[in-house]
Amino acid sequence: MPPLRERAEDIPQLVWTFLEEFCSRMGKRITQVPRKTMEALQRYPWPGNVRELRNVVEHGAIVTTGETLRVPMLDDVAAVVAPRQTLLDSERGLILQALETAGWRIKGPKGAAAALGLNPSTLYSRMKKLGIRAPGQTAAGSS
């Protein structure tokens, strides 16, 4: 089974299942989960997988005093909730941004290679490695 971070669509059902169990056990009535809370739970990478989600929901159920779930740990992990980027994702993004800004021109003083501080042949090589092709260019390189 894939990790929870790859199954964000399962999180709402899991949250409600856990809440039902905890409310029953604690004699509480929690009937609402704020949209921002649910979205944050779905964006969180869940390194501890389902057990960690269960613990977070349980803690939220314990500290909630009304009918709306409060999850204080989400305030502490706001920085972690942002999606993580790999080095290749960052490189691809920078190259695409430079290409867009340069109108997909690679060479010359106003080309993307100059903007990135690269030799044009190096930029061509990195584009090939990352699968970046100019709009309308086919995989074979003809257009």
Side-chain angles (χ1 to χ4, degrees), residues 1-40:
M1 181 171 271
L4 188 56
R5 70 181 160 273
E6 294 175 13
R7 298 181 292 126
E9 67 279 358
D10 292 348
I11 290 175
Q13 182 62 47
L14 288 167
V15 168
W16 286 109
T17 300
F18 296 147
L19 270 178
E20 188 177 304
E21 175 190 342
F22 299 135
C23 287
S24 173
R25 189 169 7 129
M26 295 175 198
K28 290 191 169 196
R29 181 175 152 85
I30 299 174
T31 59
Q32 297 174 354
V33 177
R35 179 177 297 180
K36 283 185 177 185
T37 299
M38 192 64 80
E39 288 171 354

PDB file of all heavy atoms in Angstrom, residues 1-40:
ATOM      1  N   MET A   1       0.846  -1.177   0.000  1.00  0.00           N
ATOM      2  CA  MET A   1       0.000   0.000   0.000  1.00  0.00           C
ATOM      3  C   MET A   1       0.893   1.244   0.000  1.00  0.00           C
ATOM      4  O   MET A   1       1.860   1.316   0.750  1.00  0.00           O
ATOM      5  CB  MET A   1      -0.899  -0.008   1.244  1.00  0.00           C
ATOM      6  CG  MET A   1      -1.821   1.179   1.305  1.00  0.00           C
ATOM      7  SD  MET A   1      -3.042   1.044   2.620  1.00  0.00           S
ATOM      8  CE  MET A   1      -4.317   0.197   1.755  1.00  0.00           C
ATOM      9  N   PRO A   2       0.588   2.247  -0.840  1.00  0.00           N
ATOM     10  CA  PRO A   2       1.416   3.455  -0.896  1.00  0.00           C
ATOM     11  C   PRO A   2       1.340   4.241   0.415  1.00  0.00           C
ATOM     12  O   PRO A   2       0.366   4.139   1.165  1.00  0.00           O
ATOM     13  CB  PRO A   2       0.804   4.267  -2.040  1.00  0.00           C
ATOM     14  CG  PRO A   2      -0.352   3.514  -2.546  1.00  0.00           C
ATOM     15  CD  PRO A   2      -0.503   2.255  -1.771  1.00  0.00           C
ATOM     16  N   PRO A   3       2.376   5.051   0.698  1.00  0.00           N
ATOM     17  CA  PRO A   3       2.358   5.844   1.928  1.00  0.00           C
ATOM     18  C   PRO A   3       1.210   6.856   1.916  1.00  0.00           C
ATOM     19  O   PRO A   3       0.714   7.242   0.860  1.00  0.00           O
ATOM     20  CB  PRO A   3       3.718   6.546   1.932  1.00  0.00           C
ATOM     21  CG  PRO A   3       4.252   6.429   0.555  1.00  0.00           C
ATOM     22  CD  PRO A   3       3.576   5.266  -0.086  1.00  0.00           C
ATOM     23  N   LEU A   4       0.830   7.307   3.097  1.00  0.00           N
ATOM     24  CA  LEU A   4      -0.297   8.221   3.242  1.00  0.00           C
ATOM     25  C   LEU A   4      -0.087   9.514   2.463  1.00  0.00           C
ATOM     26  O   LEU A   4      -1.035  10.059   1.904  1.00  0.00           O
ATOM     27  CB  LEU A   4      -0.535   8.522   4.726  1.00  0.00           C
ATOM     28  CG  LEU A   4      -1.781   9.322   5.095  1.00  0.00           C
ATOM     29  CD1 LEU A   4      -3.037   8.653   4.559  1.00  0.00           C
ATOM     30  CD2 LEU A   4      -1.869   9.498   6.598  1.00  0.00           C
ATOM     31  N   ARG A   5       1.147  10.005   2.372  1.00  0.00           N
ATOM     32  CA  ARG A   5       1.402  11.253   1.651  1.00  0.00           C
ATOM     33  C   ARG A   5       1.024  11.137   0.175  1.00  0.00           C
ATOM     34  O   ARG A   5       0.811  12.140  -0.485  1.00  0.00           O
ATOM     35  CB  ARG A   5       2.855  11.701   1.825  1.00  0.00           C
ATOM     36  CG  ARG A   5       3.856  10.833   1.123  1.00  0.00           C
ATOM     37  CD  ARG A   5       5.293  11.307   1.343  1.00  0.00           C
ATOM     38  NE  ARG A   5       6.219  10.242   1.075  1.00  0.00           N
ATOM     39  CZ  ARG A   5       6.613   9.327   1.947  1.00  0.00           C
ATOM     40  NH1 ARG A   5       6.159   9.364   3.172  1.00  0.00           N
ATOM     41  NH2 ARG A   5       7.454   8.381   1.614  1.00  0.00           N
ATOM     42  N   GLU A   6       0.957   9.917  -0.346  1.00  0.00           N
ATOM     43  CA  GLU A   6       0.567   9.698  -1.740  1.00  0.00           C
ATOM     44  C   GLU A   6      -0.925   9.382  -1.861  1.00  0.00           C
ATOM     45  O   GLU A   6      -1.411   9.100  -2.951  1.00  0.00           O
ATOM     46  CB  GLU A   6       1.397   8.561  -2.351  1.00  0.00           C
ATOM     47  CG  GLU A   6       2.870   8.902  -2.461  1.00  0.00           C
ATOM     48  CD  GLU A   6       3.702   7.731  -2.962  1.00  0.00           C
ATOM     49  OE1 GLU A   6       3.136   6.733  -3.455  1.00  0.00           O
ATOM     50  OE2 GLU A   6       4.940   7.823  -2.848  1.00  0.00           O
ATOM     51  N   ARG A   7      -1.635   9.373  -0.737  1.00  0.00           N
ATOM     52  CA  ARG A   7      -3.070   9.067  -0.743  1.00  0.00           C
ATOM     53  C   ARG A   7      -3.844  10.154   0.000  1.00  0.00           C
ATOM     54  O   ARG A   7      -4.685   9.880   0.848  1.00  0.00           O
ATOM     55  CB  ARG A   7      -3.314   7.720  -0.061  1.00  0.00           C
ATOM     56  CG  ARG A   7      -2.660   6.548  -0.751  1.00  0.00           C
ATOM     57  CD  ARG A   7      -2.936   5.225  -0.053  1.00  0.00           C
ATOM     58  NE  ARG A   7      -2.271   5.160   1.243  1.00  0.00           N
ATOM     59  CZ  ARG A   7      -2.889   4.887   2.395  1.00  0.00           C
ATOM     60  NH1 ARG A   7      -4.167   4.643   2.429  1.00  0.00           N
ATOM     61  NH2 ARG A   7      -2.207   4.838   3.525  1.00  0.00           N
ATOM     62  N   ALA A   8      -3.577  11.407  -0.330  1.00  0.00           N
ATOM     63  CA  ALA A   8      -4.213  12.534   0.365  1.00  0.00           C
ATOM     64  C   ALA A   8      -5.734  12.455   0.310  1.00  0.00           C
ATOM     65  O   ALA A   8      -6.420  12.892   1.237  1.00  0.00           O
ATOM     66  CB  ALA A   8      -3.732  13.854  -0.222  1.00  0.00           C
ATOM     67  N   GLU A   9      -6.265  11.832  -0.729  1.00  0.00           N
ATOM     68  CA  GLU A   9      -7.729  11.722  -0.860  1.00  0.00           C
ATOM     69  C   GLU A   9      -8.335  10.816   0.213  1.00  0.00           C
ATOM     70  O   GLU A   9      -9.538  10.875   0.484  1.00  0.00           O
ATOM     71  CB  GLU A   9      -8.126  11.239  -2.265  1.00  0.00           C
ATOM     72  CG  GLU A   9      -7.724   9.816  -2.594  1.00  0.00           C
ATOM     73  CD  GLU A   9      -6.270   9.621  -3.032  1.00  0.00           C
ATOM     74  OE1 GLU A   9      -5.520  10.606  -3.124  1.00  0.00           O
ATOM     75  OE2 GLU A   9      -5.896   8.454  -3.289  1.00  0.00           O
ATOM     76  N   ASP A  10      -7.511   9.977   0.845  1.00  0.00           N
ATOM     77  CA  ASP A  10      -7.996   9.093   1.911  1.00  0.00           C
ATOM     78  C   ASP A  10      -8.076   9.793   3.268  1.00  0.00           C
ATOM     79  O   ASP A  10      -8.723   9.294   4.192  1.00  0.00           O
ATOM     80  CB  ASP A  10      -7.076   7.878   2.062  1.00  0.00           C
ATOM     81  CG  ASP A  10      -7.127   6.939   0.867  1.00  0.00           C
ATOM     82  OD1 ASP A  10      -8.025   7.096   0.025  1.00  0.00           O
ATOM     83  OD2 ASP A  10      -6.261   6.043   0.790  1.00  0.00           O
ATOM     84  N   ILE A  11      -7.399  10.913   3.401  1.00  0.00           N
ATOM     85  CA  ILE A  11      -7.272  11.560   4.708  1.00  0.00           C
ATOM     86  C   ILE A  11      -8.613  12.005   5.290  1.00  0.00           C
ATOM     87  O   ILE A  11      -8.864  11.736   6.469  1.00  0.00           O
ATOM     88  CB  ILE A  11      -6.226  12.699   4.649  1.00  0.00           C
ATOM     89  CG1 ILE A  11      -4.848  12.044   4.489  1.00  0.00           C
ATOM     90  CG2 ILE A  11      -6.296  13.596   5.883  1.00  0.00           C
ATOM     91  CD1 ILE A  11      -3.697  12.991   4.290  1.00  0.00           C
ATOM     92  N   PRO A  12      -9.515  12.654   4.541  1.00  0.00           N
ATOM     93  CA  PRO A  12     -10.791  13.051   5.166  1.00  0.00           C
ATOM     94  C   PRO A  12     -11.547  11.870   5.783  1.00  0.00           C
ATOM     95  O   PRO A  12     -12.038  11.963   6.912  1.00  0.00           O
ATOM     96  CB  PRO A  12     -11.571  13.689   4.021  1.00  0.00           C
ATOM     97  CG  PRO A  12     -10.513  14.193   3.096  1.00  0.00           C
ATOM     98  CD  PRO A  12      -9.400  13.186   3.179  1.00  0.00           C
ATOM     99  N   GLN A  13     -11.625  10.763   5.081  1.00  0.00           N
ATOM    100  CA  GLN A  13     -12.329   9.588   5.620  1.00  0.00           C
ATOM    101  C   GLN A  13     -11.641   9.060   6.875  1.00  0.00           C
ATOM    102  O   GLN A  13     -12.299   8.705   7.850  1.00  0.00           O
ATOM    103  CB  GLN A  13     -12.425   8.481   4.562  1.00  0.00           C
ATOM    104  CG  GLN A  13     -13.183   7.266   5.042  1.00  0.00           C
ATOM    105  CD  GLN A  13     -14.632   7.578   5.400  1.00  0.00           C
ATOM    106  OE1 GLN A  13     -15.324   8.232   4.645  1.00  0.00           O
ATOM    107  NE2 GLN A  13     -15.095   7.117   6.555  1.00  0.00           N
ATOM    108  N   LEU A  14     -10.327   9.037   6.856  1.00  0.00           N
ATOM    109  CA  LEU A  14      -9.587   8.584   8.035  1.00  0.00           C
ATOM    110  C   LEU A  14      -9.816   9.528   9.217  1.00  0.00           C
ATOM    111  O   LEU A  14     -10.031   9.075  10.348  1.00  0.00           O
ATOM    112  CB  LEU A  14      -8.089   8.489   7.723  1.00  0.00           C
ATOM    113  CG  LEU A  14      -7.669   7.344   6.811  1.00  0.00           C
ATOM    114  CD1 LEU A  14      -6.230   7.536   6.323  1.00  0.00           C
ATOM    115  CD2 LEU A  14      -7.809   6.007   7.528  1.00  0.00           C
ATOM    116  N   VAL A  15      -9.785  10.825   8.964  1.00  0.00           N
ATOM    117  CA  VAL A  15     -10.007  11.801  10.031  1.00  0.00           C
ATOM    118  C   VAL A  15     -11.375  11.577  10.671  1.00  0.00           C
ATOM    119  O   VAL A  15     -11.501  11.512  11.899  1.00  0.00           O
ATOM    120  CB  VAL A  15      -9.878  13.249   9.500  1.00  0.00           C
ATOM    121  CG1 VAL A  15     -10.395  14.267  10.513  1.00  0.00           C
ATOM    122  CG2 VAL A  15      -8.417  13.551   9.140  1.00  0.00           C
ATOM    123  N   TRP A  16     -12.416  11.446   9.845  1.00  0.00           N
ATOM    124  CA  TRP A  16     -13.771  11.251  10.395  1.00  0.00           C
ATOM    125  C   TRP A  16     -13.901   9.916  11.128  1.00  0.00           C
ATOM    126  O   TRP A  16     -14.567   9.826  12.155  1.00  0.00           O
ATOM    127  CB  TRP A  16     -14.836  11.385   9.300  1.00  0.00           C
ATOM    128  CG  TRP A  16     -15.021  12.817   8.909  1.00  0.00           C
ATOM    129  CD1 TRP A  16     -14.657  13.416   7.744  1.00  0.00           C
ATOM    130  CD2 TRP A  16     -15.585  13.851   9.732  1.00  0.00           C
ATOM    131  NE1 TRP A  16     -14.956  14.753   7.784  1.00  0.00           N
ATOM    132  CE2 TRP A  16     -15.534  15.046   8.986  1.00  0.00           C
ATOM    133  CE3 TRP A  16     -16.128  13.891  11.018  1.00  0.00           C
ATOM    134  CZ2 TRP A  16     -16.010  16.268   9.478  1.00  0.00           C
ATOM    135  CZ3 TRP A  16     -16.603  15.103  11.506  1.00  0.00           C
ATOM    136  CH2 TRP A  16     -16.540  16.268  10.750  1.00  0.00           C
ATOM    137  N   THR A  17     -13.248   8.879  10.631  1.00  0.00           N
ATOM    138  CA  THR A  17     -13.270   7.576  11.305  1.00  0.00           C
ATOM    139  C   THR A  17     -12.602   7.675  12.670  1.00  0.00           C
ATOM    140  O   THR A  17     -13.146   7.190  13.672  1.00  0.00           O
ATOM    141  CB  THR A  17     -12.563   6.508  10.440  1.00  0.00           C
ATOM    142  OG1 THR A  17     -13.254   6.409   9.193  1.00  0.00           O
ATOM    143  CG2 THR A  17     -12.545   5.158  11.128  1.00  0.00           C
ATOM    144  N   PHE A  18     -11.441   8.308  12.715  1.00  0.00           N
ATOM    145  CA  PHE A  18     -10.748   8.479  13.988  1.00  0.00           C
ATOM    146  C   PHE A  18     -11.553   9.356  14.942  1.00  0.00           C
ATOM    147  O   PHE A  18     -11.667   9.052  16.135  1.00  0.00           O
ATOM    148  CB  PHE A  18      -9.351   9.083  13.790  1.00  0.00           C
ATOM    149  CG  PHE A  18      -8.398   8.204  13.008  1.00  0.00           C
ATOM    150  CD1 PHE A  18      -7.436   8.759  12.183  1.00  0.00           C
ATOM    151  CD2 PHE A  18      -8.454   6.822  13.111  1.00  0.00           C
ATOM    152  CE1 PHE A  18      -6.548   7.963  11.474  1.00  0.00           C
ATOM    153  CE2 PHE A  18      -7.574   6.007  12.402  1.00  0.00           C
ATOM    154  CZ  PHE A  18      -6.622   6.587  11.581  1.00  0.00           C
ATOM    155  N   LEU A  19     -12.131  10.435  14.421  1.00  0.00           N
ATOM    156  CA  LEU A  19     -12.933  11.328  15.271  1.00  0.00           C
ATOM    157  C   LEU A  19     -14.112  10.590  15.889  1.00  0.00           C
ATOM    158  O   LEU A  19     -14.419  10.778  17.069  1.00  0.00           O
ATOM    159  CB  LEU A  19     -13.442  12.530  14.464  1.00  0.00           C
ATOM    160  CG  LEU A  19     -12.550  13.748  14.442  1.00  0.00           C
ATOM    161  CD1 LEU A  19     -13.154  14.839  13.573  1.00  0.00           C
ATOM    162  CD2 LEU A  19     -12.260  14.261  15.832  1.00  0.00           C
ATOM    163  N   GLU A  20     -14.767   9.779  15.092  1.00  0.00           N
ATOM    164  CA  GLU A  20     -15.908   9.004  15.596  1.00  0.00           C
ATOM    165  C   GLU A  20     -15.469   8.122  16.771  1.00  0.00           C
ATOM    166  O   GLU A  20     -16.119   8.074  17.810  1.00  0.00           O
ATOM    167  CB  GLU A  20     -16.467   8.147  14.456  1.00  0.00           C
ATOM    168  CG  GLU A  20     -17.758   7.449  14.777  1.00  0.00           C
ATOM    169  CD  GLU A  20     -18.264   6.684  13.563  1.00  0.00           C
ATOM    170  OE1 GLU A  20     -18.436   7.293  12.493  1.00  0.00           O
ATOM    171  OE2 GLU A  20     -18.473   5.459  13.707  1.00  0.00           O
ATOM    172  N   GLU A  21     -14.355   7.447  16.597  1.00  0.00           N
ATOM    173  CA  GLU A  21     -13.835   6.579  17.651  1.00  0.00           C
ATOM    174  C   GLU A  21     -13.479   7.383  18.905  1.00  0.00           C
ATOM    175  O   GLU A  21     -13.869   7.029  20.017  1.00  0.00           O
ATOM    176  CB  GLU A  21     -12.587   5.838  17.155  1.00  0.00           C
ATOM    177  CG  GLU A  21     -11.908   5.008  18.216  1.00  0.00           C
ATOM    178  CD  GLU A  21     -10.551   4.467  17.776  1.00  0.00           C
ATOM    179  OE1 GLU A  21     -10.265   4.431  16.556  1.00  0.00           O
ATOM    180  OE2 GLU A  21      -9.769   4.094  18.678  1.00  0.00           O
ATOM    181  N   PHE A  22     -12.726   8.478  18.735  1.00  0.00           N
ATOM    182  CA  PHE A  22     -12.276   9.251  19.887  1.00  0.00           C
ATOM    183  C   PHE A  22     -13.432   9.956  20.594  1.00  0.00           C
ATOM    184  O   PHE A  22     -13.469  10.004  21.820  1.00  0.00           O
ATOM    185  CB  PHE A  22     -11.202  10.260  19.488  1.00  0.00           C
ATOM    186  CG  PHE A  22      -9.966   9.624  18.910  1.00  0.00           C
ATOM    187  CD1 PHE A  22      -9.369  10.116  17.770  1.00  0.00           C
ATOM    188  CD2 PHE A  22      -9.398   8.501  19.508  1.00  0.00           C
ATOM    189  CE1 PHE A  22      -8.240   9.529  17.234  1.00  0.00           C
ATOM    190  CE2 PHE A  22      -8.266   7.895  18.986  1.00  0.00           C
ATOM    191  CZ  PHE A  22      -7.683   8.409  17.842  1.00  0.00           C
ATOM    192  N   CYS A  23     -14.373  10.487  19.838  1.00  0.00           N
ATOM    193  CA  CYS A  23     -15.526  11.167  20.451  1.00  0.00           C
ATOM    194  C   CYS A  23     -16.345  10.173  21.272  1.00  0.00           C
ATOM    195  O   CYS A  23     -16.803  10.495  22.370  1.00  0.00           O
ATOM    196  CB  CYS A  23     -16.389  11.837  19.389  1.00  0.00           C
ATOM    197  SG  CYS A  23     -15.620  13.309  18.691  1.00  0.00           S
ATOM    198  N   SER A  24     -16.507   8.983  20.740  1.00  0.00           N
ATOM    199  CA  SER A  24     -17.244   7.949  21.461  1.00  0.00           C
ATOM    200  C   SER A  24     -16.538   7.606  22.772  1.00  0.00           C
ATOM    201  O   SER A  24     -17.159   7.523  23.825  1.00  0.00           O
ATOM    202  CB  SER A  24     -17.375   6.707  20.583  1.00  0.00           C
ATOM    203  OG  SER A  24     -17.923   5.647  21.299  1.00  0.00           O
ATOM    204  N   ARG A  25     -15.235   7.441  22.691  1.00  0.00           N
ATOM    205  CA  ARG A  25     -14.452   7.072  23.866  1.00  0.00           C
ATOM    206  C   ARG A  25     -14.378   8.200  24.901  1.00  0.00           C
ATOM    207  O   ARG A  25     -14.402   7.955  26.098  1.00  0.00           O
ATOM    208  CB  ARG A  25     -13.041   6.675  23.443  1.00  0.00           C
ATOM    209  CG  ARG A  25     -12.248   6.075  24.572  1.00  0.00           C
ATOM    210  CD  ARG A  25     -10.936   5.418  24.195  1.00  0.00           C
ATOM    211  NE  ARG A  25     -10.483   5.564  22.836  1.00  0.00           N
ATOM    212  CZ  ARG A  25      -9.265   5.983  22.499  1.00  0.00           C
ATOM    213  NH1 ARG A  25      -8.400   6.324  23.417  1.00  0.00           N
ATOM    214  NH2 ARG A  25      -8.909   6.053  21.244  1.00  0.00           N
ATOM    215  N   MET A  26     -14.330   9.458  24.413  1.00  0.00           N
ATOM    216  CA  MET A  26     -14.154  10.603  25.310  1.00  0.00           C
ATOM    217  C   MET A  26     -15.471  11.264  25.713  1.00  0.00           C
ATOM    218  O   MET A  26     -15.473  12.205  26.498  1.00  0.00           O
ATOM    219  CB  MET A  26     -13.262  11.663  24.634  1.00  0.00           C
ATOM    220  CG  MET A  26     -11.863  11.223  24.379  1.00  0.00           C
ATOM    221  SD  MET A  26     -10.994  12.525  23.456  1.00  0.00           S
ATOM    222  CE  MET A  26      -9.618  11.615  22.803  1.00  0.00           C
ATOM    223  N   GLY A  27     -16.562  10.804  25.108  1.00  0.00           N
ATOM    224  CA  GLY A  27     -17.845  11.417  25.410  1.00  0.00           C
ATOM    225  C   GLY A  27     -17.956  12.838  24.874  1.00  0.00           C
ATOM    226  O   GLY A  27     -18.595  13.696  25.468  1.00  0.00           O
ATOM    227  N   LYS A  28     -17.330  13.094  23.727  1.00  0.00           N
ATOM    228  CA  LYS A  28     -17.361  14.421  23.101  1.00  0.00           C
ATOM    229  C   LYS A  28     -18.214  14.372  21.849  1.00  0.00           C
ATOM    230  O   LYS A  28     -18.511  13.309  21.317  1.00  0.00           O
ATOM    231  CB  LYS A  28     -15.953  14.884  22.743  1.00  0.00           C
ATOM    232  CG  LYS A  28     -15.100  15.221  23.935  1.00  0.00           C
ATOM    233  CD  LYS A  28     -13.828  15.913  23.483  1.00  0.00           C
ATOM    234  CE  LYS A  28     -13.111  16.487  24.683  1.00  0.00           C
ATOM    235  NZ  LYS A  28     -12.109  17.462  24.300  1.00  0.00           N
ATOM    236  N   ARG A  29     -18.557  15.566  21.381  1.00  0.00           N
ATOM    237  CA  ARG A  29     -19.321  15.683  20.138  1.00  0.00           C
ATOM    238  C   ARG A  29     -18.596  16.695  19.248  1.00  0.00           C
ATOM    239  O   ARG A  29     -18.738  17.899  19.423  1.00  0.00           O
ATOM    240  CB  ARG A  29     -20.744  16.150  20.445  1.00  0.00           C
ATOM    241  CG  ARG A  29     -21.624  16.281  19.238  1.00  0.00           C
ATOM    242  CD  ARG A  29     -23.044  16.636  19.661  1.00  0.00           C
ATOM    243  NE  ARG A  29     -23.743  17.394  18.631  1.00  0.00           N
ATOM    244  CZ  ARG A  29     -24.372  16.861  17.618  1.00  0.00           C
ATOM    245  NH1 ARG A  29     -24.413  15.553  17.497  1.00  0.00           N
ATOM    246  NH2 ARG A  29     -24.983  17.606  16.732  1.00  0.00           N
ATOM    247  N   ILE A  30     -17.805  16.188  18.317  1.00  0.00           N
ATOM    248  CA  ILE A  30     -17.105  17.038  17.349  1.00  0.00           C
ATOM    249  C   ILE A  30     -17.738  16.756  15.990  1.00  0.00           C
ATOM    250  O   ILE A  30     -17.648  15.638  15.481  1.00  0.00           O
ATOM    251  CB  ILE A  30     -15.586  16.754  17.337  1.00  0.00           C
ATOM    252  CG1 ILE A  30     -14.993  17.043  18.717  1.00  0.00           C
ATOM    253  CG2 ILE A  30     -14.886  17.583  16.262  1.00  0.00           C
ATOM    254  CD1 ILE A  30     -13.534  16.661  18.872  1.00  0.00           C
ATOM    255  N   THR A  31     -18.393  17.784  15.443  1.00  0.00           N
ATOM    256  CA  THR A  31     -19.160  17.586  14.210  1.00  0.00           C
ATOM    257  C   THR A  31     -18.598  18.352  13.021  1.00  0.00           C
ATOM    258  O   THR A  31     -19.117  18.216  11.910  1.00  0.00           O
ATOM    259  CB  THR A  31     -20.623  18.023  14.421  1.00  0.00           C
ATOM    260  OG1 THR A  31     -20.631  19.413  14.794  1.00  0.00           O
ATOM    261  CG2 THR A  31     -21.295  17.181  15.493  1.00  0.00           C
ATOM    262  N   GLN A  32     -17.581  19.162  13.266  1.00  0.00           N
ATOM    263  CA  GLN A  32     -17.041  19.974  12.172  1.00  0.00           C
ATOM    264  C   GLN A  32     -15.515  19.932  12.150  1.00  0.00           C
ATOM    265  O   GLN A  32     -14.873  19.932  13.197  1.00  0.00           O
ATOM    266  CB  GLN A  32     -17.478  21.434  12.317  1.00  0.00           C
ATOM    267  CG  GLN A  32     -18.971  21.621  12.237  1.00  0.00           C
ATOM    268  CD  GLN A  32     -19.364  23.065  12.522  1.00  0.00           C
ATOM    269  OE1 GLN A  32     -18.532  23.900  12.880  1.00  0.00           O
ATOM    270  NE2 GLN A  32     -20.640  23.361  12.357  1.00  0.00           N
ATOM    271  N   VAL A  33     -14.986  19.900  10.930  1.00  0.00           N
ATOM    272  CA  VAL A  33     -13.550  20.030  10.716  1.00  0.00           C
ATOM    273  C   VAL A  33     -13.399  21.182   9.721  1.00  0.00           C
ATOM    274  O   VAL A  33     -13.879  21.074   8.585  1.00  0.00           O
ATOM    275  CB  VAL A  33     -12.921  18.738  10.135  1.00  0.00           C
ATOM    276  CG1 VAL A  33     -11.434  18.942   9.862  1.00  0.00           C
ATOM    277  CG2 VAL A  33     -13.147  17.561  11.070  1.00  0.00           C
ATOM    278  N   PRO A  34     -12.788  22.289  10.149  1.00  0.00           N
ATOM    279  CA  PRO A  34     -12.635  23.425   9.231  1.00  0.00           C
ATOM    280  C   PRO A  34     -11.925  23.020   7.940  1.00  0.00           C
ATOM    281  O   PRO A  34     -11.027  22.168   7.951  1.00  0.00           O
ATOM    282  CB  PRO A  34     -11.788  24.426  10.031  1.00  0.00           C
ATOM    283  CG  PRO A  34     -12.014  24.055  11.459  1.00  0.00           C
ATOM    284  CD  PRO A  34     -12.220  22.562  11.458  1.00  0.00           C
ATOM    285  N   ARG A  35     -12.342  23.625   6.854  1.00  0.00           N
ATOM    286  CA  ARG A  35     -11.768  23.312   5.543  1.00  0.00           C
ATOM    287  C   ARG A  35     -10.248  23.518   5.551  1.00  0.00           C
ATOM    288  O   ARG A  35      -9.508  22.699   5.031  1.00  0.00           O
ATOM    289  CB  ARG A  35     -12.396  24.188   4.459  1.00  0.00           C
ATOM    290  CG  ARG A  35     -11.796  23.914   3.073  1.00  0.00           C
ATOM    291  CD  ARG A  35     -12.448  24.711   2.016  1.00  0.00           C
ATOM    292  NE  ARG A  35     -13.840  24.285   1.958  1.00  0.00           N
ATOM    293  CZ  ARG A  35     -14.734  24.771   1.139  1.00  0.00           C
ATOM    294  NH1 ARG A  35     -14.396  25.719   0.305  1.00  0.00           N
ATOM    295  NH2 ARG A  35     -15.969  24.327   1.131  1.00  0.00           N
ATOM    296  N   LYS A  36      -9.789  24.625   6.153  1.00  0.00           N
ATOM    297  CA  LYS A  36      -8.341  24.886   6.201  1.00  0.00           C
ATOM    298  C   LYS A  36      -7.608  23.788   6.970  1.00  0.00           C
ATOM    299  O   LYS A  36      -6.502  23.401   6.612  1.00  0.00           O
ATOM    300  CB  LYS A  36      -8.063  26.245   6.857  1.00  0.00           C
ATOM    301  CG  LYS A  36      -8.332  27.408   5.942  1.00  0.00           C
ATOM    302  CD  LYS A  36      -7.919  28.705   6.600  1.00  0.00           C
ATOM    303  CE  LYS A  36      -8.115  29.859   5.641  1.00  0.00           C
ATOM    304  NZ  LYS A  36      -7.631  31.129   6.179  1.00  0.00           N
ATOM    305  N   THR A  37      -8.225  23.294   8.008  1.00  0.00           N
ATOM    306  CA  THR A  37      -7.618  22.219   8.791  1.00  0.00           C
ATOM    307  C   THR A  37      -7.498  20.955   7.943  1.00  0.00           C
ATOM    308  O   THR A  37      -6.443  20.321   7.888  1.00  0.00           O
ATOM    309  CB  THR A  37      -8.443  21.931  10.061  1.00  0.00           C
ATOM    310  OG1 THR A  37      -8.470  23.116  10.864  1.00  0.00           O
ATOM    311  CG2 THR A  37      -7.865  20.782  10.860  1.00  0.00           C
ATOM    312  N   MET A  38      -8.584  20.592   7.262  1.00  0.00           N
ATOM    313  CA  MET A  38      -8.566  19.382   6.434  1.00  0.00           C
ATOM    314  C   MET A  38      -7.552  19.527   5.294  1.00  0.00           C
ATOM    315  O   MET A  38      -6.808  18.585   4.996  1.00  0.00           O
ATOM    316  CB  MET A  38      -9.957  19.086   5.885  1.00  0.00           C
ATOM    317  CG  MET A  38     -10.071  17.716   5.257  1.00  0.00           C
ATOM    318  SD  MET A  38      -9.821  16.340   6.417  1.00  0.00           S
ATOM    319  CE  MET A  38     -11.426  16.277   7.199  1.00  0.00           C
ATOM    320  N   GLU A  39      -7.498  20.709   4.682  1.00  0.00           N
ATOM    321  CA  GLU A  39      -6.538  20.922   3.593  1.00  0.00           C
ATOM    322  C   GLU A  39      -5.104  20.817   4.101  1.00  0.00           C
ATOM    323  O   GLU A  39      -4.248  20.234   3.444  1.00  0.00           O
ATOM    324  CB  GLU A  39      -6.784  22.284   2.933  1.00  0.00           C
ATOM    325  CG  GLU A  39      -8.050  22.316   2.103  1.00  0.00           C
ATOM    326  CD  GLU A  39      -8.432  23.711   1.612  1.00  0.00           C
ATOM    327  OE1 GLU A  39      -7.769  24.709   2.011  1.00  0.00           O
ATOM    328  OE2 GLU A  39      -9.396  23.802   0.842  1.00  0.00           O
ATOM    329  N   ALA A  40      -4.855  21.368   5.289  1.00  0.00           N
ATOM    330  CA  ALA A  40      -3.505  21.282   5.870  1.00  0.00           C
ATOM    331  C   ALA A  40      -3.148  19.833   6.177  1.00  0.00           C
ATOM    332  O   ALA A  40      -2.017  19.400   5.949  1.00  0.00           O
ATOM    333  CB  ALA A  40      -3.414  22.145   7.123  1.00  0.00           C
TER     334      ALA A  40
END
